[in-house]
mmCIF file of all heavy atoms in Angstrom:
data_model
loop_
_atom_site.group_PDB
_atom_site.id
_atom_site.type_symbol
_atom_site.label_atom_id
_atom_site.label_comp_id
_atom_site.label_asym_id
_atom_site.label_seq_id
_atom_site.Cartn_x
_atom_site.Cartn_y
_atom_site.Cartn_z
ATOM 1 N N LYS Z 46 89.165 76.338 15.332
ATOM 2 C CA LYS Z 46 87.951 76.024 16.125
ATOM 3 C C LYS Z 46 88.099 76.593 17.519
ATOM 4 O O LYS Z 46 89.059 76.337 18.228
ATOM 5 C CB LYS Z 46 87.718 74.505 16.162
ATOM 6 C CG LYS Z 46 87.473 73.857 14.822
ATOM 7 C CD LYS Z 46 87.311 72.338 14.928
ATOM 8 C CE LYS Z 46 86.961 71.770 13.561
ATOM 9 N NZ LYS Z 46 88.054 72.000 12.546
ATOM 10 N N LEU Z 57 76.761 89.974 31.788
ATOM 11 C CA LEU Z 57 77.742 90.719 30.983
ATOM 12 C C LEU Z 57 77.039 91.868 30.282
ATOM 13 O O LEU Z 57 76.635 91.756 29.139
ATOM 14 C CB LEU Z 57 78.446 89.786 30.038
ATOM 15 C CG LEU Z 57 79.117 88.574 30.645
ATOM 16 C CD1 LEU Z 57 79.777 87.710 29.614
ATOM 17 C CD2 LEU Z 57 80.060 88.940 31.757
ATOM 18 N N ILE Z 63 83.526 90.222 18.836
ATOM 19 C CA ILE Z 63 84.316 89.225 18.159
ATOM 20 C C ILE Z 63 84.808 89.810 16.848
ATOM 21 O O ILE Z 63 83.971 89.992 15.950
ATOM 22 C CB ILE Z 63 83.510 87.957 17.985
ATOM 23 C CG1 ILE Z 63 83.058 87.388 19.311
ATOM 24 C CG2 ILE Z 63 84.354 86.911 17.212
ATOM 25 C CD1 ILE Z 63 82.184 86.148 19.203
ATOM 26 N N SER Z 70 92.870 86.009 1.461
ATOM 27 C CA SER Z 70 93.076 84.594 1.200
ATOM 28 C C SER Z 70 91.858 83.802 1.745
ATOM 29 O O SER Z 70 91.198 84.236 2.674
ATOM 30 C CB SER Z 70 94.369 84.075 1.800
ATOM 31 O OG SER Z 70 94.351 84.209 3.244
ATOM 32 N N LYS Z 105 84.340 80.915 4.821
ATOM 33 C CA LYS Z 105 83.302 80.009 5.354
ATOM 34 C C LYS Z 105 83.371 80.052 6.884
ATOM 35 O O LYS Z 105 84.408 79.750 7.468
ATOM 36 C CB LYS Z 105 83.536 78.599 4.922
ATOM 37 C CG LYS Z 105 83.081 78.237 3.489
ATOM 38 C CD LYS Z 105 83.202 76.797 3.224
ATOM 39 C CE LYS Z 105 82.739 76.434 1.805
ATOM 40 N NZ LYS Z 105 82.841 74.972 1.585
ATOM 41 N N ASN Z 111 74.532 77.781 22.056
ATOM 42 C CA ASN Z 111 73.780 76.926 22.983
ATOM 43 C C ASN Z 111 73.298 77.758 24.150
ATOM 44 O O ASN Z 111 74.096 78.243 24.957
ATOM 45 C CB ASN Z 111 74.686 75.797 23.471
ATOM 46 C CG ASN Z 111 75.131 74.839 22.351
ATOM 47 O OD1 ASN Z 111 74.333 74.423 21.529
ATOM 48 N ND2 ASN Z 111 76.410 74.601 22.296
ATOM 49 N N SER Z 116 68.577 81.749 30.110
ATOM 50 C CA SER Z 116 69.631 82.616 29.589
ATOM 51 C C SER Z 116 69.086 83.568 28.506
ATOM 52 O O SER Z 116 68.068 83.294 27.887
ATOM 53 C CB SER Z 116 70.783 81.798 29.041
ATOM 54 O OG SER Z 116 70.357 80.980 27.906
ATOM 55 N N SER Z 137 73.727 78.273 13.873
ATOM 56 C CA SER Z 137 72.628 77.457 14.420
ATOM 57 C C SER Z 137 72.567 77.740 15.924
ATOM 58 O O SER Z 137 73.579 78.060 16.609
ATOM 59 C CB SER Z 137 72.871 75.966 14.207
ATOM 60 O OG SER Z 137 74.037 75.533 14.889
ATOM 61 N N ILE Z 150 71.365 90.663 11.891
ATOM 62 C CA ILE Z 150 72.421 90.513 10.896
ATOM 63 C C ILE Z 150 72.383 91.682 9.923
ATOM 64 O O ILE Z 150 71.332 91.902 9.249
ATOM 65 C CB ILE Z 150 72.237 89.192 10.138
ATOM 66 C CG1 ILE Z 150 72.201 87.993 11.068
ATOM 67 C CG2 ILE Z 150 73.345 89.038 9.084
ATOM 68 C CD1 ILE Z 150 71.857 86.698 10.398
ATOM 69 N N MET Z 172 62.247 81.776 23.266
ATOM 70 C CA MET Z 172 61.898 82.839 22.354
ATOM 71 C C MET Z 172 63.070 83.200 21.457
ATOM 72 O O MET Z 172 64.202 83.288 21.883
ATOM 73 C CB MET Z 172 61.493 84.121 23.098
ATOM 74 C CG MET Z 172 60.295 83.935 24.045
ATOM 75 S SD MET Z 172 58.761 83.815 23.121
ATOM 76 C CE MET Z 172 58.640 85.440 22.400
ATOM 77 N N THR Z 184 76.819 95.049 -8.389
ATOM 78 C CA THR Z 184 76.384 93.667 -8.677
ATOM 79 C C THR Z 184 76.405 92.788 -7.447
ATOM 80 O O THR Z 184 76.485 91.556 -7.551
ATOM 81 C CB THR Z 184 77.256 93.051 -9.812
ATOM 82 O OG1 THR Z 184 78.647 93.076 -9.357
ATOM 83 C CG2 THR Z 184 77.110 93.820 -11.097
ATOM 84 N N TYR Z 215 71.204 92.132 -6.100
ATOM 85 C CA TYR Z 215 70.176 91.107 -5.894
ATOM 86 C C TYR Z 215 70.095 90.747 -4.451
ATOM 87 O O TYR Z 215 71.093 90.602 -3.764
ATOM 88 C CB TYR Z 215 70.512 89.864 -6.742
ATOM 89 C CG TYR Z 215 69.576 88.712 -6.529
ATOM 90 C CD1 TYR Z 215 68.368 88.677 -7.226
ATOM 91 C CD2 TYR Z 215 69.863 87.714 -5.657
ATOM 92 C CE1 TYR Z 215 67.496 87.603 -7.065
ATOM 93 C CE2 TYR Z 215 69.006 86.601 -5.461
ATOM 94 C CZ TYR Z 215 67.813 86.580 -6.194
ATOM 95 O OH TYR Z 215 66.943 85.536 -6.002
ATOM 96 N N PHE Z 223 58.644 76.382 11.250
ATOM 97 C CA PHE Z 223 58.182 74.958 11.373
ATOM 98 C C PHE Z 223 57.590 74.851 12.775
ATOM 99 O O PHE Z 223 58.243 75.158 13.770
ATOM 100 C CB PHE Z 223 59.349 73.980 11.186
ATOM 101 C CG PHE Z 223 59.015 72.573 11.549
ATOM 102 C CD1 PHE Z 223 58.487 71.739 10.545
ATOM 103 C CD2 PHE Z 223 59.192 72.040 12.795
ATOM 104 C CE1 PHE Z 223 58.157 70.436 10.846
ATOM 105 C CE2 PHE Z 223 58.891 70.730 13.126
ATOM 106 C CZ PHE Z 223 58.333 69.913 12.128
ATOM 107 N N GLN Z 245 66.863 97.943 -12.228
ATOM 108 C CA GLN Z 245 67.631 96.712 -12.492
ATOM 109 C C GLN Z 245 67.780 95.844 -11.208
ATOM 110 O O GLN Z 245 68.104 94.697 -11.296
ATOM 111 C CB GLN Z 245 69.023 97.081 -12.997
ATOM 112 C CG GLN Z 245 69.027 97.617 -14.442
ATOM 113 C CD GLN Z 245 68.521 99.075 -14.480
ATOM 114 O OE1 GLN Z 245 68.866 99.860 -13.584
ATOM 115 N NE2 GLN Z 245 67.732 99.395 -15.500
ATOM 116 N N PHE Z 298 63.236 104.300 6.360
ATOM 117 C CA PHE Z 298 62.863 102.910 6.058
ATOM 118 C C PHE Z 298 63.654 101.960 6.902
ATOM 119 O O PHE Z 298 63.096 100.920 7.339
ATOM 120 C CB PHE Z 298 63.118 102.691 4.557
ATOM 121 C CG PHE Z 298 62.822 101.259 4.120
ATOM 122 C CD1 PHE Z 298 61.530 100.854 3.906
ATOM 123 C CD2 PHE Z 298 63.909 100.361 3.929
ATOM 124 C CE1 PHE Z 298 61.303 99.538 3.512
ATOM 125 C CE2 PHE Z 298 63.674 99.093 3.508
ATOM 126 C CZ PHE Z 298 62.367 98.638 3.281
ATOM 127 N N LEU Z 305 65.288 97.417 16.553
ATOM 128 C CA LEU Z 305 65.150 96.047 17.108
ATOM 129 C C LEU Z 305 66.388 95.609 17.899
ATOM 130 O O LEU Z 305 66.318 94.626 18.639
ATOM 131 C CB LEU Z 305 64.859 95.029 15.957
ATOM 132 C CG LEU Z 305 63.605 95.283 15.160
ATOM 133 C CD1 LEU Z 305 63.570 94.370 13.930
ATOM 134 C CD2 LEU Z 305 62.385 95.055 16.046
#
Side-chain angles (χ1 to χ4, degrees):
K46 297 178 177 62
L57 305 181
I63 299 177
S70 60
K105 282 187 178 181
N111 297 311
S116 62
S137 66
I150 303 172
M172 299 287 295
T184 58
Y215 176 82
F223 173 88
Q245 291 75 39
F298 177 79
L305 298 171

